[in-house]
Amino acid sequence: MQMQGPIGVFDSGYGGLTVLKEIIKKLPEYDYLYLGDNARAPYGNRSFETVYQYTLQCVKWFFEQNCSLVILACNTASAKALRTIQQNDLPVIAPGNRVLGVIRPTAEIIGTFSETKSVGILATNGTVASQSYPMETAKFFPDLKVYQEACPMWVPLIENEEYQSHGADFFIKKNLHNIFEKGKDIDVILLACTHYPLLKEKIEEYLPVGVKLISQGEIVATSLADYLTRHPEIESRCSKNGQRIFYTTDSTEDFDNHATTFYGQPISSKHVDLESIKIK
Ligand code: DGL
């Protein structure tokens, strides 16, 4: 039997913790290793090449920690880096390992929530520009109308703990207004950035009656549970001692202070310096 290790969960910063929280609810028995690349976050406005290089470096670090399975719990990294890593890098660096993202599992199900067959996607600039959501949803729901709105101010508001301020109300109202201008019959809004669940209550205040607000945590957790059932060769390489370990590329003190809001429980993180990990 090959060596077992934790399931890796990655985000540019704190957002992936909203996904990890839901994964743990569904699959508590596994060990999880979380990495937030806080020192280089946010990724949302960075170029394809930069997000790809940062993400690949983090994936290589996970592999060095014995993770056979890594979840990119970040839409921006899933949109800009996942396909290249899966197609070009994995076969060379670790053919038996797997890296999964959050866009595909969301795209597979999002159409079922809408009666008007019209959904609005709120995401970072990078995710919107990649066109990943319109492309992926079209594979499963060819008749679904998909409208997108980039909300570049939302992650900075969240990362700077300003998400309960009046400034947040201003940008939420603005971006919601814009998306409903684009698609007047939208009846489902997807929070396609793993940071955005923190704004859920505020967004709900401004949503038209009858519009459903969907975040990804539960969707990704259900999809992961299904994946592990279908892939015993990967599942058997995931250790099961209920351990959770958190790393950040930035200050552990800042991470521990902020992370609780996202994860719902106190966290005691460790620092990692990725400089020694070569990208190419
Ligand atoms: N949490 C990341 C996502 O889901 C984005 C945050 C960032 O811009 O780094 O897209």
Side-chain angles (χ1 to χ4, degrees):
M1 196 164 100
Q2 273 171 299
M3 202 190 297
Q4 289 191 323
I7 297 176
V9 179
F10 169 73
D11 184 47
S12 59
Y14 304 108
L17 292 167
T18 64
V19 175
L20 177 60
K21 189 168 78 179
E22 297 301 328
I23 292 178
I24 287 174
K25 270 192 211 159
K26 194 162 281 293
L27 301 163
E29 65 276 31
Y30 292 95
D31 297 341
Y32 296 95
L33 178 60
Y34 184 88
L35 174 62
D37 191 8
N38 299 78
R40 302 186 292 196
Y43 279 12
N45 292 326
R46 294 191 185 273
S47 69
F48 270 77
E49 187 56 24
T50 303
V51 173
Y52 161 63
Q53 293 197 354
Y54 288 175
T55 308
L56 178 60
Q57 197 177 29
C58 293
V59 164
K60 286 185 174 176
W61 176 82
F62 278 112
F63 291 169
E64 286 182 5
Q65 317 307 308
N66 270 330
C67 299
S68 304
L69 177 61
V70 177
I71 315 294
L72 303 184
C74 172
N75 286 271
T76 311
S78 302
K80 292 182 159 187
L82 180 63
R83 186 185 296 250
T84 314
I85 291 176
Q86 283 175 335
Q87 293 180 354
N88 298 355
D89 298 297
L90 268 189
V92 180
I93 58 175
N97 289 359
R98 292 291 171 265
V99 182
L100 306 175
V102 288
I103 295 180
R104 173 103 184 191
T106 310
E108 276 176 11
I109 197 165
I110 193 70
T112 62
F113 300 121
S114 173
E115 275 155 37
T116 59
K117 295 298 158 215
S118 182
V119 303
I121 310 281
L122 301 175
T124 64
N125 272 335
T127 301
V128 168
S130 74
Q131 295 296 328
S132 299
Y133 274 99
M135 284 185 313
E136 286 296 321
T137 48
K139 293 179 192 159
F140 304 99
F141 305 99
D143 300 330
L144 191 71
K145 282 170 281 165
V146 177
Y147 300 94
Q148 302 193 92
E149 168 76 4
C151 310
M153 291 304 290
W154 291 17
V155 170
L157 281 167
I158 295 165
E159 295 257 328
N160 291 296
E161 300 239 344
E162 289 288 343
Y163 61 96
Q164 278 159 337
S165 69
H166 293 307
D169 288 69
F170 174 84
F171 287 106
I172 289 171
K173 274 199 268 187
K174 178 180 162 185
N175 293 123
L176 285 181
H177 171 82
N178 289 350
I179 200 154
F180 286 105
E181 277 295 297
K182 293 175 197 168
K184 299 210 169 6
D185 60 341
I186 290 173
D187 67 348
V188 169
I189 288 285
L190 171 69
L191 300 181
C193 169
T194 55
H195 279 67
Y196 295 175
L198 266 79
L199 294 171
K200 206 168 177 185
E201 277 173 29
K202 263 200 190 297
I203 298 169
E204 266 160 0
E205 279 177 39
Y206 298 111
L207 268 192
V209 179
V211 175
K212 290 185 206 115
L213 188 59
I214 309 286
S215 29
Q216 296 174 293
E218 249 185 86
I219 298 174
V220 174
T222 306
S223 161
L224 176 60
D226 179 55
Y227 179 88
L228 291 170
T229 313
R230 287 185 291 109
H231 293 274
E233 76 289 1
I234 297 291
E235 199 279 340
S236 61
R237 289 163 64 196
C238 301
S239 50
K240 291 187 202 163
N241 306 299
Q243 251 183 21
R244 292 88 179 83
I245 297 173
F246 300 88
Y247 275 89
T248 174
T249 55
D250 208 347
S251 138
T252 54
E253 202 182 328
D254 282 355
F255 188 87
D256 297 352
N257 287 339
H258 281 69
T260 310
T261 327
F262 291 81
Y263 188 56
Q265 281 181 45
I267 282 176
S268 174
S269 62
K270 300 178 193 184
H271 175 79
V272 61
D273 189 343
L274 297 174
E275 239 164 59
S276 65
I277 300 188
K278 299 245 175 320
I279 295 169
K280 285 288 169 201

